[in-house]
Amino acid sequence: MSSPALHIVKPNIVVPLGSSADTPIKVTIESSTLLQLIETIYENNDSTPTQTRTVGTLLGTRSDDGSNIEVKECYIVPHKEEDEELTIEEAFHISAFHLYKRANQELQVIGWFSTSPELDAYTGLFHEFYAKGSCAPYQPVLLTLQYRDNDSGEIISPIVKTYISSPVGLPPNSGIVRKLNLEKIGSYAFVPIPNEVTYSKNELTTLKYLSEASKKEDRSFDLKGLDELKQMSSTVNQISDLIKILQDYTERAAKGEIEGDNRIGQLLLSNLNYKLSEVDVDDFKKDFETHVNDTMLLQYLASCIKQQLDLSAKLTNFITPEDAVAD
Amino acid sequence: MPEQENDHNSSLTVQINASVALKLAKIGEDHYPGTSSGPIYGFDEKESSVINISHIMSFPGQHTSGDDVFNTRSSNVKFQNDFLSKLRESKIGAKLLGWYVTCTNGKHIRQTVIESVLHLQENNRKENADNTPVLILVYDPSKALDSLLSLKVLKLSDAFLNTWNSEARFVARNLIDNRLSYKNIFEEVPAEIKNSHLTNLKVQELDLSNTYGDDLELNSNYLKSTVQNVEQLTEAIDNFNHNLGNFNYFQRSLSREVTKVNQWKLRTKQENIDKLKADPSATVTEPDWKTQFKLPQVPSKYENLVASGLVNSYSTNLEVAGSVEHGKTSGVKESLDL
């Protein structure tokens, strides 16, 4: 197959035409979107040989200068690879994008993803589709997922890579191209750019349980008995373990057995700078007592309401008016 | 509903894909302190009675302040159908399983939610002979800020469905027969979050302990969530009282009417006896009281039930949050020797 794409995977090549203003430099992926992306690998159920990969659109936001990109949503776009022809369902891509945009106004098409880590002929064609289509005038970002080892073909933890591209070869309107009647489609040099996974606070809380599940044989976490008090007690245990480790560490560092890390020292210093003399213990005690009492009062009132409710439910006897007369 | 199906439903478990659980956390956080809702999609395996939730999407136009959490306006219905057809076009075998709601725990106990569930369930049954219960996924984002996960999968209880489908519906005897109270309108479905193999590998690789940042500041969301909870509780109680007021009014006017009916009955009886005394061969008729009197409209017990359920769940929230806070403060108190 004659490949119209040029594969140069080196970050140090000079980007010939990419205007520096709209060139993304950094890509951040929300952890929830990352998992969605990974799960798309399973969703390529097509057994026909017309698909060697699952591809789809990445939605997200771009910073004003286009240098930072956040990936927030993704969806699969059906396509067909036949001989050297590539069919992408553009109508699907557009209408799906509009659906997402309705739910979240700020979303833009920022690029595409592929479950094939290889940059081949089709990659260029896909890229062209996004570059000339919904991404213009910005450059699309390509995100690839690799879940098989290159050599052994074994399943590995998915590797996420992001690329930007620049067109290679002669500018399409140059005289030579016209003279030679060269067709120039999908020729890109892909340059890897760094990406980072971000976690929001809520995501972290859920991730904590996902990670717990990941250590188990059945890879699942049972939501039954997910009681707040139990959760708290396990968190408190974790904290006290951490404190023990820290204590042990600082003691050994103080004794000179190990060399202390300056960063940890600074962190402790800046966070534990309570001057005891400034805290009036009696006032603190009083405030604390008040808070405990408030909490208890609230609990008491809540249980009163529940009792009232129970009573009311028993006393509120709903009968049909006809029955009332019959009695 | 035949017995067999109840058995089938009781052994039901729900699997939530890791990505859905995480996305839900994100959506909830983005809309917090408001609420959000949207359709959930997935598939069910009839043989193993496992329902898998694989996709989630939020509705456009969320209610961020209003008193309702949920809305199946026609535009949202169209939206959820459009999204489903997109999933199917990309060869993902999925169907609409229900909805998610991110809100303070228990806020989902609403007539709109209940009726949407009933509607979809009915539709599924009629069109596809599908008896799988419609699910409601409830996530409380306020808890997550305190590192607690509050995620539940609910369905309408059989007690509620039986009452709803019965002829007499929400009258006292029927409620007792079906063991329905405001506490069990919804019931929890056993559920688990499931990592796929690849997610599992990736999650193990993520270094979560490193992401907490550089400050060790202690901040609790207890105050904020309690204030919100109390506000919602007050609102729910107002609503409940309004409902109860209607009921009291009904009872008063009913008892007035009943006395009138009974007096009228006595009078006609007396008249008949008098007539018979005067002329034993006279024909007497006992006219139906229903033609003479119109009894007041009975207020809906269903509304009362839902309102009670809401008050109950808010109160429970306060109790739970209180006991967690209590646990924390006692710990601090002990260790500081106050």
Side-chain angles (χ1 to χ4, degrees):
Chain A
M1 189 200 290
S2 72
S3 161
L6 179 64
H7 317 300
I8 305 173
V9 192
K10 268 187 188 163
N12 59 352
I13 62 154
V14 187
V15 180
L17 285 172
S19 57
S20 56
D22 57 14
T23 308
I25 301 166
K26 196 179 151 199
V27 179
T28 52
I29 309 162
E30 286 175 0
S31 54
S32 51
T33 315
L34 177 70
L35 292 201
Q36 281 183 313
L37 280 167
I38 291 173
E39 276 171 19
T40 61
I41 296 173
Y42 291 95
E43 280 160 1
N44 184 13
N45 293 330
D46 198 349
S47 52
T48 58
T50 56
Q51 275 191 13
T52 55
R53 68 201 86 188
T54 306
V55 298
T57 305
L58 294 175
L59 299 178
T61 53
R62 237 183 229 111
S63 65
D64 287 340
D65 61 353
S67 65
N68 282 320
I69 283 189
E70 278 179 58
V71 183
K72 289 176 192 266
E73 296 279 1
C74 61
Y75 58 85
I76 296 175
V77 178
H79 75 280
K80 261 193 201 129
E81 297 160 25
E82 272 164 326
D83 301 324
E84 280 177 49
E85 293 271 309
L86 176 72
T87 334
I88 305 170
E89 302 226 2
E90 185 167 9
F92 178 94
H93 156 70
I94 302 284
S95 56
F97 168 54
H98 286 303
L99 275 184
Y100 277 94
K101 201 170 166 68
R102 268 177 64 196
N104 185 353
Q105 282 296 323
E106 61 175 9
L107 292 178
Q108 294 170 295
V109 178
I110 50 149
W112 64 289
F113 70 90
S114 164
T115 55
S116 154
E118 269 168 60
L119 303 174
D120 58 16
Y122 289 123
T123 313
L125 293 174
F126 278 118
H127 207 73
E128 174 106 357
F129 170 73
Y130 282 95
K132 295 260 164 74
S134 30
C135 271
Y138 295 99
Q139 284 194 36
V141 172
L142 162 62
L143 186 150
T144 61
L145 292 156
Q146 182 183 356
Y147 58 97
R148 276 183 197 283
D149 192 87
N150 273 341
D151 305 322
S152 59
E154 271 175 43
I155 300 281
I156 51 166
S157 170
I159 300 170
V160 178
K161 281 191 185 140
T162 41
Y163 300 91
I164 50 164
S165 68
S166 52
V168 287
L170 296 158
N173 51 358
S174 78
I176 310 171
V177 174
R178 248 173 302 166
K179 244 183 237 161
L180 294 174
N181 206 8
L182 278 176
E183 242 190 289
K184 188 176 158 296
I185 311 164
S187 307
Y188 289 97
F190 287 98
V191 185
I193 51 167
N195 62 68
E196 193 190 354
V197 181
T198 55
Y199 313 90
S200 73
K201 204 156 180 203
N202 280 30
E203 283 176 331
L204 268 179
T205 304
T206 307
L207 265 172
K208 198 169 76 183
Y209 291 95
L210 295 185
S211 130
E212 208 163 288
S214 75
K215 284 167 198 140
K216 289 198 294 189
E217 191 84 349
D218 60 353
R219 312 186 310 278
S220 59
F221 180 80
D222 200 345
L223 291 175
K224 211 167 142 200
L226 193 69
D227 162 290
E228 265 102 355
L229 272 174
K230 267 187 214 153
Q231 291 190 48
M232 190 191 66
S233 93
S234 79
T235 320
V236 168
N237 284 336
Q238 273 173 23
I239 293 178
S240 70
D241 284 348
L242 283 174
I243 291 180
K244 251 181 225 142
I245 295 170
L246 190 65
Q247 229 170 2
D248 192 46
Y249 173 80
T250 46
E251 263 166 31
R252 286 177 63 193
K255 276 184 200 154
E257 286 174 25
I258 47 166
E259 201 179 329
D261 187 336
N262 283 342
R263 275 195 329 182
I264 294 177
Q266 275 164 2
L267 185 72
L268 287 176
L269 211 63
S270 62
N271 281 291
L272 298 176
N273 60 351
Y274 289 110
K275 293 193 183 69
L276 271 178
S277 55
E278 281 175 14
V279 182
D280 187 351
V281 178
D282 285 334
D283 273 359
F284 181 70
K285 252 188 194 171
K286 220 169 112 193
D287 283 352
F288 203 83
E289 215 45 58
T290 320
H291 179 70
V292 172
N293 289 341
D294 284 351
T295 312
M296 289 211 286
L297 184 66
L298 215 59
Q299 272 183 288
Y300 172 70
L301 289 176
S303 76
C304 282
I305 294 173
K306 280 172 88 171
Q307 276 174 25
Q308 292 279 320
L309 197 63
D310 227 8
L311 260 176
S312 152
K314 290 210 160 65
L315 295 176
T316 321
N317 206 355
F318 278 81
I319 45 170
T320 54
E322 285 75 13
D323 287 349
V325 178
D327 288 342
Chain B
M1 216 185 259
E3 289 285 315
Q4 213 182 344
E5 281 162 25
N6 285 346
D7 286 351
H8 164 79
N9 286 348
S10 62
S11 63
L12 204 70
T13 49
V14 175
Q15 262 178 19
I16 306 168
N17 275 12
S19 71
V20 172
L22 206 55
K23 195 78 201 172
L24 188 60
K26 183 69 188 154
I27 295 172
E29 185 174 20
D30 287 346
H31 289 95
Y32 183 73
T35 60
S36 72
S37 58
I40 48 177
Y41 304 94
F43 53 90
D44 50 349
E45 288 164 40
K46 287 276 178 318
E47 303 82 40
S48 52
S49 59
V50 171
I51 303 182
N52 181 290
I53 305 178
S54 63
H55 288 82
I56 183 167
M57 183 70 193
S58 58
F59 276 139
Q62 299 288 354
H63 291 258
T64 39
S65 58
D67 50 317
D68 214 343
V69 286
F70 193 69
N71 159 343
T72 35
R73 280 182 312 201
S74 58
S75 68
N76 276 352
V77 171
K78 186 171 181 308
F79 181 83
Q80 79 195 14
N81 292 338
D82 283 353
F83 194 77
L84 181 62
S85 67
K86 287 283 163 266
L87 288 177
R88 288 195 174 146
E89 273 175 60
S90 47
K91 300 192 188 76
I92 297 163
K95 66 167 199 172
L96 181 65
L97 292 176
W99 298 273
Y100 81 85
V101 188
T102 68
C103 61
T104 317
N105 235 329
K107 205 181 173 183
H108 62 276
I109 306 180
R110 296 284 177 164
Q111 288 181 34
T112 41
V113 178
I114 294 173
E115 277 149 31
S116 303
V117 170
L118 283 167
H119 182 73
L120 182 60
Q121 221 151 261
E122 187 63 16
N123 246 10
N124 282 348
R125 207 167 54 82
K126 268 195 196 141
E127 283 174 18
N128 314 322
D130 182 356
N131 282 313
T132 333
V134 170
L135 304 174
I136 296 285
L137 196 60
V138 185
Y139 174 75
D140 186 346
S142 67
K143 301 278 184 204
L145 294 169
D146 284 338
S147 243
L148 301 171
L149 178 65
S150 166
L151 180 63
K152 278 187 197 128
V153 183
L154 304 169
K155 68 177 175 91
L156 284 178
S157 65
D158 291 338
F160 182 84
L161 287 174
N162 289 341
T163 315
W164 182 273
N165 292 328
S166 65
E167 215 168 295
R169 294 182 98 172
F170 294 92
V171 293
R173 195 175 307 131
N174 207 3
L175 291 185
I176 296 164
D177 285 350
N178 284 313
R179 297 180 170 279
L180 175 68
S181 79
Y182 61 90
K183 287 173 190 158
N184 65 351
I185 301 174
F186 284 96
E187 64 189 19
E188 221 175 311
V189 186
E192 55 182 26
I193 304 178
K194 181 111 181 159
N195 288 341
S196 63
H197 281 286
L198 290 172
T199 336
N200 218 33
L201 290 168
K202 194 72 195 173
V203 167
Q204 281 175 348
E205 197 184 77
L206 299 173
D207 187 9
L208 298 177
S209 55
N210 240 344
T211 50
Y212 279 96
D214 274 349
D215 66 282
L216 301 174
E217 206 180 327
L218 288 170
N219 41 20
S220 153
N221 196 39
Y222 174 65
L223 196 65
K224 195 180 167 194
S225 66
T226 305
V227 169
Q228 197 191 14
N229 213 326
V230 171
E231 274 167 10
Q232 285 170 340
L233 177 62
T234 326
E235 205 180 299
I237 290 177
D238 280 347
N239 197 2
F240 175 76
N241 279 341
H242 177 75
N243 192 285
L244 210 60
N246 282 349
F247 175 73
N248 287 336
Y249 175 77
F250 157 77
Q251 272 200 322
R252 275 198 301 279
S253 53
L254 178 65
S255 64
R256 266 202 304 276
E257 291 296 314
V258 168
T259 336
K260 276 192 213 157
V261 169
N262 287 340
Q263 276 169 358
W264 180 83
K265 269 187 180 167
L266 275 176
R267 209 172 55 235
T268 43
K269 217 177 199 173
Q270 196 58 48
E271 276 169 12
N272 283 344
I273 293 169
D274 289 348
K275 243 188 228 171
L276 284 173
K277 263 186 196 159
D279 176 13
S281 64
T283 48
V284 291
T285 50
E286 205 172 301
D288 192 6
W289 60 269
K290 279 176 192 163
T291 57
Q292 309 286 322
F293 294 92
K294 200 175 181 307
L295 293 177
Q297 194 68 39
V298 67
S300 158
K301 171 72 180 170
Y302 161 60
E303 269 172 42
N304 174 278
L305 213 61
V306 175
S308 310
L310 200 56
V311 173
N312 182 54
S313 59
Y314 286 145
S315 307
T316 313
N317 275 351
L318 284 178
E319 284 182 323
V320 170
S323 43
V324 170
E325 185 68 8
H326 203 65
K328 286 184 190 168
T329 45
S330 314
V332 173
K333 205 172 159 184
E334 281 300 306
S335 54
L336 284 183
D337 197 21
L338 286 173

